[in-house]
Amino acid sequence: MEKTWNNKAWFLVLPVLVLVAFSAVIPLMTVVNYSVQDTFGNNQFFWAGTEWFEELLGSSRFWQAMGRNLVFSAIILAIEVPLGILIALNMPKKGWGVPVCLVLMALPLLIPWNVVGTIWQVFGRSDIGLFGYYLNKLGLNYNYVQDPLDAWFTVIIMDVWHWTSLVVLLCYAGLVSIPDAFYQAAKIDGASRWAVFRYIQLPKMQRVLLIAVLLRFMDSFMIYTEPFVVTGGGPGNSTTFLSIDLVKMALGQFDLGPAAAMSLVYFLIILLLSWVFYTVMTNYDAER
């Protein structure tokens, strides 16, 4: 039996395509236009070609910022994914505790990014913040404003507190979708808890883990608001990620050409790394 195609359905998609064209494609083309031009002011532009891209890729400032981004994303994934799995495994699957745990897990995700940054900016202060005050009481000499290591520690803890819940909720959704028959069969076979996790729970969470890793990688690699509010990219340039450096270049220095070139390279890096993550994880899933 042949399928019948209703081309009228395209008219329902047309408003979305027009919206995407205005909100994404046209601004993207504007950025591309700026990336190949230069200006001396008075709204007069002249062709610069690939000058800004060559200058960017030859700049140590860009590579240092990207290195900080890669290290930060690696640390975030190494902490949040295992921690999210561990919390999801220990959450109740039945009873009144389920909605309570789900609401508690969802609360950090509802807080706006700038508010999260402001909370941790105050929370980490050594004079009025509980976190900074008690760390200093323990003799750790904590000061995220002056010490780069403390600044990194604060930004990482803040991101873990804010976004681990996303991994937890995705993993929990994968766990509750596993039929009870799998657990009953494992119990009959005398499987250990580790065997149940390795051969039943982890394979069933494979797809949601793929989504969790991709979302957390993209979010952590594009992070801007939280570290900017807490540290402003400092002390020095220790927490100046690509996003913060891009804003400084575009708005602080008003270098539109270099900033446009940097934003395009930034976008392509995120696209490429996300594709690598997706390809590797889906191929691994297919082999299993």
Side-chain angles (χ1 to χ4, degrees):
M1 183 177 178
E2 296 183 359
K3 290 184 178 179
T4 58
W5 295 93
N6 185 3
N7 292 323
K8 294 181 180 179
W10 285 102
F11 289 102
L12 299 176
V13 184
L14 187 61
V16 177
L17 294 177
V18 173
L19 181 62
V20 169
F22 277 100
S23 63
V25 177
I26 293 177
L28 179 61
M29 292 301 101
T30 304
V31 172
V32 173
N33 185 42
Y34 277 126
S35 68
V36 293
Q37 296 192 72
D38 196 2
T39 179
F40 289 132
N42 298 324
N43 204 27
Q44 295 180 356
F45 294 87
F46 58 90
W47 178 259
T50 60
E51 176 185 347
W52 300 128
F53 292 96
E54 294 171 1
E55 180 181 313
L56 177 71
L57 296 177
S59 169
S60 60
R61 171 181 171 179
F62 170 76
W63 293 109
Q64 289 171 1
M66 190 174 73
R68 286 188 286 267
N69 261 104
L70 290 173
V71 171
F72 179 76
S73 295
I75 294 174
I76 289 302
L77 290 177
I79 295 176
E80 292 184 8
V81 174
L83 182 60
I85 294 173
L86 181 63
I87 296 174
L89 288 172
N90 289 280
M91 285 176 62
K93 306 299 186 295
K94 296 179 181 178
W96 61 268
V98 174
V100 173
C101 290
L102 291 178
V103 170
L104 291 176
M105 285 294 105
L107 282 178
L109 301 176
L110 301 177
I111 304 176
W113 298 334
N114 57 336
V115 177
V116 171
T118 304
I119 290 172
W120 280 87
Q121 184 187 45
V122 176
F123 194 49
R125 288 181 56 173
S126 57
D127 51 353
I128 61 173
L130 291 177
F131 187 67
Y133 176 79
Y134 282 106
L135 284 180
N136 284 317
K137 276 288 186 180
L138 295 174
L140 296 178
N141 194 24
Y142 168 83
N143 191 332
Y144 70 86
V145 178
Q146 298 179 356
D147 192 322
L149 188 60
D150 291 343
W152 267 81
F153 177 72
T154 305
V155 173
I156 289 170
I157 291 295
M158 174 180 60
D159 195 89
V160 170
W161 174 81
H162 192 196
W163 289 110
T164 301
S165 297
L166 177 64
V167 182
V168 173
L169 294 176
L170 289 172
C171 292
Y172 186 79
L175 288 173
V176 296
S177 65
I178 301 175
D180 290 336
F182 284 75
Y183 295 110
Q184 293 172 2
K187 187 176 182 180
I188 292 172
D189 292 338
S192 63
R193 187 169 182 179
W194 168 250
V196 171
F197 171 73
R198 181 179 178 184
Y199 297 107
I200 296 178
Q201 294 172 326
L202 188 59
K204 293 297 181 181
M205 289 193 296
Q206 199 78 29
R207 296 188 182 278
V208 293
L209 278 177
L210 170 61
I211 298 172
V213 170
L214 283 176
L215 289 177
R216 287 309 306 127
F217 167 74
M218 289 188 292
D219 285 340
S220 62
F221 202 80
M222 295 187 299
I223 191 170
Y224 169 75
T225 307
E226 297 99 316
F228 181 77
V229 172
V230 176
T231 65
N237 290 323
S238 59
T239 57
T240 300
F241 302 113
L242 281 172
S243 56
I244 297 177
D245 200 22
L246 176 60
V247 173
K248 287 181 178 180
M249 188 181 296
L251 300 181
Q253 304 169 9
F254 207 68
D255 292 333
L256 297 182
M262 184 177 179
S263 64
L264 290 176
V265 173
Y266 193 10
F267 168 72
L268 291 176
I269 290 172
I270 295 172
L271 194 63
L272 176 63
L273 292 178
S274 298
W275 176 79
V276 170
F277 268 112
Y278 178 80
T279 303
V280 170
M281 294 186 71
T282 50
N283 288 342
Y284 176 76
D285 189 22
E287 289 175 1
R288 287 176 63 91

